[in-house]
Amino acid sequence: MLSLTGMLVAFWLVALGLGVLVMRHELDEVFDSALQETAERLLALTVDDLELRQQADGLEIESLNRSGRREYLVYQVRDPSGRLLLKSDDAPSTVIQPEMDKGFSDTTKYRVFTSVSPDGKLILQVADRFSNRREAVRESAVTMLIPLLLLIPASIVSIWLVIGRALKPIGALRQAIATKDGGNMAPLEEAHLPEELTPIAHSVNLLLERLRNAFAAEREFTANSAHELRTPIAGALAQTQRLVEELPDGPAKVRARKIEKSLRDLGHLAEKLLQLARAESGIGSKETEVDLLQVLAIVVLDLQRVPGLDRKVELRHPHLKSMPRRVDVDAFGIVMRNLIENAFLHGDSTLPVLVEVTGDHSVSVTNACDIVQEHELSGLKNRFRRGRTSASGTGLGLAIADRIVIEMGGKLTLFSPARGRIDGFEALVELSR
């Protein structure tokens, strides 16, 4: 807007300057022509009048301008000796131009035209002030400048309206593209876009289609691989456990237990990869409402029954009898199980894990541990990213939970230290109403 308005103002000022130059030249021609015509007509009248009156002494013609108004043209009639014979009422008492050359001449105040009678006895000089000419040019320039003062705000408003209207589809298209991510790859609307933006939307849709195909192939490969691996892993784990029972104490039994642990970790990784594939397939929302408090109670009870877990989970939901949401039961269960397992793995084993449902319909999972630094906290939701910990894990739990919560229309926020404490770790799931 500033550039366009500045260009308009600059062009207008250039045009105004050229117009003033041309107008000044034309006004000079008009004024000069008026001087010459007035002098020629007035000289003939003056000669006739003087001859009729036969006045030998200096004579001043009775002025018709007694109103006190300023005259634009003044004149003087004198003889060759310089004696004034006639003059207009507004003319000076001294000679305007002492020179007697016929034609145009200039003084400091006047533009003068000199005319001489045929017998050379009378000299008539008609003059107009330069101030009159400058005033005419100045008033004309101001008249031309007034529209410019109106043009500047009008141009800004007009350009703002036109450009705003023209850029509105671009803003809508930009906003539509900004919403696209791994969970939202629906094609862009092309029907209502201007002709200039349709190729851009079409290109983005082609890119989204290629990304959908790539992600689908990746999810299918991940899910199939994890699914196919579960059976042989379970078989190898069973055989290894049987081998551990049959081997006598010694180095071989120690190595067999290490193999058993590796197979357990591999099975856990396969399970996480299956959950990740499901999370990326869009399982977050459903049409029917479910009570998430019941789902949460089942998840907590299930985790407390896992063999080898001596930790306690405290579930708190004060003043809440139900928590209805249009979300998938399995998806919410995966989120809470991953968050609680993460608290088990990385928290203080001597203190319980707190699962609390707050009044604003959000769920927090808190465990006691050392403070996680802020620069590490921001990256924990990335895949295979783990903080400074010696505990076993895949680095996928928080990434899976974050992905599913986003598909539910919610938000997963991590805090360390936990809110209201000086240490610990808290994962807060905020669900939309």
Side-chain angles (χ1 to χ4, degrees):
M1 287 190 295
L2 292 176
S3 300
L4 291 176
T5 304
M7 291 174 59
L8 284 175
V9 172
F11 278 118
W12 190 278
L13 291 175
V14 171
L16 178 62
L18 295 175
V20 169
L21 292 176
V22 173
M23 183 170 54
R24 181 178 179 181
H25 176 73
E26 295 297 326
L27 286 175
D28 285 340
E29 290 185 350
V30 171
F31 277 105
D32 288 348
S33 176
L35 281 177
Q36 184 174 355
E37 291 182 11
T38 302
E40 291 173 350
R41 293 178 182 272
L42 191 58
L43 180 62
L45 294 174
T46 303
V47 171
D48 292 341
D49 185 75
L50 290 178
E51 288 179 352
L52 291 174
R53 297 187 183 192
Q54 297 178 354
Q55 295 178 348
D57 297 331
L59 178 67
E60 181 178 349
I61 295 177
E62 186 73 15
S63 176
L64 298 178
N65 181 19
R66 294 299 186 183
S67 62
R69 293 179 300 172
R70 187 183 63 176
E71 295 177 345
Y72 284 93
L73 296 179
V74 296
Y75 66 88
Q76 290 179 344
V77 180
R78 73 177 190 267
D79 58 18
S81 65
R83 183 167 60 97
L84 287 178
L85 303 177
L86 300 172
K87 74 180 185 69
S88 63
D89 185 64
D90 204 24
S93 300
T94 57
V95 176
I96 297 176
Q97 176 63 284
E99 286 82 2
M100 295 170 52
D101 296 335
K102 295 176 62 175
F104 291 100
S105 60
D106 294 332
T107 68
T108 56
K109 293 178 59 177
Y110 294 97
R111 173 75 166 169
V112 183
F113 184 82
T114 303
S115 181
V116 182
S117 63
D119 58 4
K121 294 181 178 180
L122 293 178
I123 300 170
L124 173 66
Q125 290 183 329
V126 181
D128 74 272
R129 296 176 179 84
F130 284 121
S131 60
N132 295 334
R133 300 190 179 202
R134 289 193 292 267
E135 182 182 3
V137 174
R138 183 170 59 252
E139 290 180 355
S140 301
V142 170
T143 303
M144 297 174 61
L145 188 61
I146 290 175
L148 178 61
L149 301 178
L150 301 176
L151 177 68
I152 294 175
S155 298
I156 293 176
V157 173
S158 301
I159 293 171
W160 180 75
L161 292 176
V162 172
I163 293 181
R165 184 173 181 178
L167 294 182
K168 189 175 181 180
I170 299 179
L173 179 62
R174 179 194 61 80
Q175 185 64 29
I177 294 175
T179 60
K180 302 302 175 185
D181 55 18
N184 179 15
M185 292 201 175
L188 300 172
E189 287 282 346
E190 299 183 29
H192 303 295
L193 289 176
E195 183 178 353
E196 296 84 359
L197 298 181
T198 302
I200 298 176
H202 183 67
S203 300
V204 173
N205 285 336
L206 292 178
L207 176 61
L208 290 174
E209 183 178 359
R210 290 196 293 269
L211 288 174
R212 284 196 300 270
N213 294 335
F215 284 153
E218 179 185 353
R219 286 195 296 267
E220 184 178 1
F221 173 77
T222 303
N224 290 338
S225 299
H227 181 73
E228 293 298 327
L229 283 173
R230 286 202 300 181
T231 300
I233 290 174
L237 180 60
Q239 294 295 328
T240 303
Q241 289 173 340
R242 184 176 179 84
L243 180 62
V244 168
E245 295 298 328
E246 293 177 355
L247 286 174
D249 294 337
K253 191 169 185 176
V254 173
R255 285 195 295 273
R257 291 193 179 279
K258 291 181 178 180
I259 295 174
E260 178 187 8
K261 182 179 181 305
S262 298
L263 289 173
R264 286 184 183 277
D265 293 340
L266 185 59
H268 185 66
L269 177 60
E271 182 64 29
K272 293 298 181 184
L273 290 175
L274 275 175
Q275 291 181 0
L276 182 62
R278 293 188 65 191
E280 293 182 341
S281 64
I283 63 171
S285 59
K286 291 292 182 182
E287 293 297 327
T288 57
E289 286 188 347
V290 294
D291 185 3
L292 297 185
L293 283 183
Q294 296 182 7
V295 179
L296 189 57
I298 294 173
V299 171
V300 170
L301 182 62
D302 184 56
L303 284 172
Q304 288 176 334
R305 293 175 177 176
V306 174
L309 283 181
D310 299 329
R311 305 280 299 280
K312 180 182 179 183
V313 181
E314 293 185 7
L315 176 59
R316 301 177 184 175
H317 47 89
H319 312 299
L320 284 180
K321 296 182 180 180
S322 63
M323 191 176 178
R325 284 293 184 280
R326 296 181 183 274
V327 299
D328 184 82
V329 173
D330 292 336
F332 183 73
I334 291 174
V335 170
M336 298 314 303
R337 187 178 184 92
N338 276 282
L339 294 180
I340 297 174
E341 286 180 351
N342 186 75
F344 280 154
L345 285 173
H346 306 291
D348 189 340
S349 59
T350 62
L351 297 174
V353 172
L354 176 62
V355 180
E356 184 175 9
V357 182
T358 60
D360 56 356
H361 289 201
S362 60
V363 183
S364 66
V365 179
T366 307
N367 60 272
C369 66
D370 294 333
I371 296 177
V372 180
Q373 299 299 321
E374 185 175 355
H375 66 276
E376 295 180 352
L377 194 67
S378 59
L380 290 181
K381 291 188 285 187
N382 296 332
R383 297 181 187 180
F384 302 105
R385 178 69 66 87
R386 305 180 67 213
R388 297 180 182 180
T389 178
S390 59
S392 61
T394 61
L396 289 174
L398 291 177
I400 294 170
D402 182 59
R403 182 66 190 171
I404 296 177
V405 169
I406 291 175
E407 291 181 1
M408 291 177 179
K411 180 181 178 182
L412 174 62
T413 308
L414 306 180
F415 299 94
S416 184
R419 293 178 301 169
R421 299 175 57 169
I422 61 174
D423 61 356
F425 183 90
E426 179 181 1
L428 177 65
V429 177
E430 298 174 278
L431 298 174
S432 60
R433 295 183 180 275

